[in-house]
Amino acid sequence: MSAFDPTRRLLSLLGVSPVPRVPRRAWAVTDTDWMNSISDPDMQRLGQICPPRRYARGERVYRRGEPAGSLHILLEGHVKLAQPGWLGNERVLTVCGPDDFFGENFLTGAATCLADAVCLTDHTVVCPVSREQFLEVATQLPHVALTFAMVLARRNADLEERLHVMTQPVQVRLARVMAELAVRLGEDTGEGVYHLRLDLRHDEIASMANASRVSATQAISAWRAQDLVLGTRGDYRVNVRGLEALIEQLELEALE
């Protein structure tokens, strides 16, 4: 790519370093609070430049190995990014919700998509943004481009935190994944309890924590006994405050 590439020059002027040319894993940026940072007129114009697309549950936004090129902004619904595991099973990397960005694109330098992007909900709405569309957005909607740059800058801190989490005991990793999903994608019902409507199997939750399915099943069973997680696949009540207390306890025990 030329040193005078306009996309990289734009990000440089905005103070954001581009993502490395050859990413090791599928690209996603979660918890962006994107739509709350953009005015209604700017959002409408963005939709005109980058028309949204609708998907049904089970449909793929793209498949692993397909040519990359667009950034995807998730407006409604949930999308999981998954890769084949070593034993032929599916490995879920993350679950994206409204406001999240995902997909190999003109920023990552990847030639092909590194994961399947599968819709977990009906009426999923995704806004694909090509390189050319991004440059048009930057020209016509500078505030939107600046907001996008700020989201990318925050991603660096998020990656550092995720690396720290992956060094912790498996029960801590699983509890953190469940709590993070509940806060990010669930509905706050008060007193630290979240209603999480998310159709994920135990093995999918386990893969997000780099744990085994058996570990996830045992952990969820233990949480149910402690009233930390109630319900079943697709409809959970998660006591995030209680899970956070459990995480603190497990971390202290690991230090002893």
Side-chain angles (χ1 to χ4, degrees):
M1 186 175 290
S2 167
F4 299 100
D5 176 79
T7 305
R8 290 178 178 270
R9 181 172 181 273
L10 171 64
L11 291 175
S12 176
L13 290 173
L14 292 172
V16 177
S17 300
V19 180
R21 288 288 304 277
V22 185
R24 297 180 182 179
R25 56 174 293 166
W27 186 85
V29 184
T30 59
D31 200 21
T32 69
D33 200 29
W34 168 263
M35 284 183 276
N36 287 333
S37 305
I38 299 176
S39 67
D40 289 344
D42 279 357
M43 184 63 72
Q44 291 172 356
R45 181 60 186 137
L46 177 65
Q48 293 170 349
I49 298 173
C50 315
R53 299 178 184 176
R54 293 185 176 274
Y55 296 87
R57 178 179 174 182
E59 281 194 271
R60 283 170 167 74
V61 180
Y62 53 77
R63 295 178 181 273
R64 182 171 177 265
E66 289 183 348
S70 292
L71 164 75
H72 295 81
I73 302 174
L74 184 54
L75 302 180
E76 294 182 26
H78 298 140
V79 172
K80 69 176 178 181
L81 302 183
Q83 295 174 330
W86 289 106
L87 300 178
N89 58 320
E90 183 182 66
R91 177 170 175 253
V92 177
L93 304 176
T94 192
V95 176
C96 297
D99 279 1
D100 293 348
F101 303 158
F102 65 94
E104 280 61 56
N105 55 76
F106 49 88
L107 293 175
T108 69
T112 60
C113 298
L114 301 179
D116 291 325
V118 184
C119 298
L120 296 176
T121 50
D122 284 322
H123 312 297
T124 299
V125 181
V126 178
C127 183
V129 184
S130 68
R131 170 193 174 94
E132 292 74 20
Q133 288 169 326
F134 177 77
L135 293 175
E136 186 176 352
V137 169
T139 301
Q140 297 189 25
L141 304 171
H143 177 71
V144 174
L146 179 60
T147 301
F148 179 78
M150 293 170 64
V151 167
L152 288 183
R154 289 200 301 267
R155 180 174 183 262
N156 292 333
D158 179 62
L159 288 175
E160 291 179 2
E161 174 63 21
R162 289 178 183 273
L163 287 174
H164 169 67
V165 169
M166 285 301 105
T167 64
Q168 296 178 328
V170 63
Q171 296 296 326
V172 173
R173 299 200 304 268
L174 286 164
R176 284 190 179 278
V177 165
M178 182 61 78
E180 188 263 344
L181 287 173
V183 172
R184 186 163 59 85
L185 304 178
E187 176 188 355
D188 187 355
T189 63
E191 298 184 353
V193 177
Y194 289 75
H195 188 189
L196 178 63
R197 298 180 182 90
L198 191 62
D199 189 15
L200 284 180
R201 303 185 305 271
H202 287 186
D203 61 311
E204 293 176 314
I205 295 173
S207 64
M208 296 178 66
N210 196 25
S212 69
R213 183 189 184 284
V214 172
S215 296
T217 299
Q218 291 175 342
I220 292 173
S221 296
W223 298 338
R224 284 200 180 101
Q226 300 172 65
D227 290 335
L228 296 177
V229 176
L230 301 177
T232 186
R233 173 183 169 182
D235 198 329
Y236 293 101
R237 297 277 177 174
V238 183
N239 184 340
V240 172
R241 190 176 299 171
L243 281 179
E244 289 175 343
L246 175 64
I247 289 168
E248 183 176 354
Q249 176 187 338
L250 292 173
E251 288 178 333
L252 289 174
E253 290 176 356
L255 294 175
E256 294 178 355

